[in-house]
């Protein structure tokens, strides 16, 4: 179905809401992070493979490659210039989103440059094939935009079952010209992973501040997997505009602002024991997903102020 989506420079999204993300999805991610380097033989032997989990940011990938190849910290990031990665023009040399999550073999001749090239080549094969490319075009996007949306879905959805709904919220907000207002983009700007977003956070000066800036962030905010890419170009039908993870395993999607406010109120009751940051209220964002203890007060989608009614989760 053709989406009346604005061109790349004006494409619009919504906001995030991720609470179960950490309660459930983050547990899985943490497990993956705990065992990214698989080695054979004794502990002194070099690892024979490197696992890149879905949703890792480029900084995490660089650090893992440094560790796996036993090179000084920062070596992999510095090697980007030498690697001459084949990235889309829109990426402007930033491989975020194209360090494809997979298990990569390591050998004596493996270098940071060769490993990064392998990851980007894998991403290009996955993303530039007919299904993804055609799906992006069908939705009036280019592939890079689809990867950006997929990265947000990957960061926002606590479970694979929620991924499609998060993607649909994104598309619905795009069509309505509503701001993204996703906590995941602010977390990316601040180089952190947290469930709490304060009102001060929503006022930071960053192109990744989807409370203050309209449209998609300038780059992906993580490296998405295949399922996130699939729903980013083919989200299920639905009229959802908001979502909030009321408690682990209970993420509620709705098109009704009033219903969403009730869900947010329930979320707040469940997290009333959390200590809000000084100077911030403990109201959860009312956009689509609510962060943990601290989030901006929700306002109707027609308002211009940051809403807590975005798809935070």
């Amino acid at each position: 179905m053709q989406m009346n989506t604005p061109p790349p420079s004006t494409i619009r999204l919504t906001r995030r809401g991720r609470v179960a993300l950490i309660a459930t999805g983050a547990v899985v991610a943490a497990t993956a992070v705990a065992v990214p380097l698989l080695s054979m033989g004794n502990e002194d032997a070099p690892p024979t493979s490197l696992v890149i989990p879905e949703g890792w940011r480029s900084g995490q990938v660089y650090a893992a490659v440094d560790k796996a190849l036993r090179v000084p910290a920062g070596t992999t990031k510095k090697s980007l210039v030498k690697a001459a990665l084949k990235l889309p023009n829109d990426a402007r040399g930033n491989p975020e989103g194209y360090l494809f999550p997979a298990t990569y073999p390591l050998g004596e001749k493996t270098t940071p440059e060769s490993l990064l090239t392998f990851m980007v080549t894998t991403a290009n094969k996955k993303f530039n094939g007919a299904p993804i490319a055609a799906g992006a075009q069908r939705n009036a996007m280019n592939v890079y935009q689809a990867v950006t949306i997929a990265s947000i879905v990957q960061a926002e959805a606590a479970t694979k079952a929620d991924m499609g709904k998060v993607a649909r919220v994104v598309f619905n907000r795009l069509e309505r010209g509503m701001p993204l207002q996703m906590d995941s983009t602010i977390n990316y700007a601040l180089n952190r992973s947290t469930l709490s977003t304060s009102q001060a956070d929503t006022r930071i000066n960053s192109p990744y501040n989807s409370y203050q800036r309209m449209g998609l962030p300038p780059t992906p905010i993580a490296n998405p997997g295949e399922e996130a890419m699939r729903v980013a170009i083919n989200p299920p039908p639905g009229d959802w505009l908001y979502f909030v993870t009321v408690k682990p395993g209970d993420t509620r999607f709705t098109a009704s602002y009033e219903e969403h406010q009730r869900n947010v109120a329930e979320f707040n009751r469940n997290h009333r024991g959390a200590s809000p940051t000084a100077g911030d209220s403990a109201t959860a964002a009312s956009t689509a997903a609510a962060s943990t203890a601290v989030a901006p007060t929700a306002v109707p989608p027609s308002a211009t102020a940051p809403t807590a009614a975005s798809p935070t989760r």
Side-chain angles (χ1 to χ4, degrees), residues 25-48:
V27 172
V28 176
T31 303
V33 171
V35 226
L37 305 181
L38 307 179
S39 60
M40 297 180 64
N42 60 56
E43 293 182 1
D44 293 330
T48 58

Side-chain angles (χ1 to χ4, degrees), residues 15 21 34 55 83 109 130 154 162 182 185 190 211 214 236 240-241 244 262 286 294 305 310:
R15 157 201 146 152
L21 182 193
K109 296 183 178 181
Q154 188 80 63
D162 287 341
M182 296 234 177
T185 64
L190 296 174
Y211 284 81
M214 296 297 289
W240 311 292
L241 289 172
V244 59
R262 291 193 293 272
S286 68
V294 183
S310 1

Side-chain angles (χ1 to χ4, degrees), residues 123-139 141-143 146 229-230 233-234:
N124 283 326
K125 288 180 180 177
K126 297 285 187 179
F127 300 160
N128 294 333
I132 299 298
Q137 185 177 24
R138 187 169 59 249
N139 289 303
M141 301 184 295
N142 60 34
V143 171
M229 282 300 300
R230 185 184 69 78
I233 53 94
N234 188 31

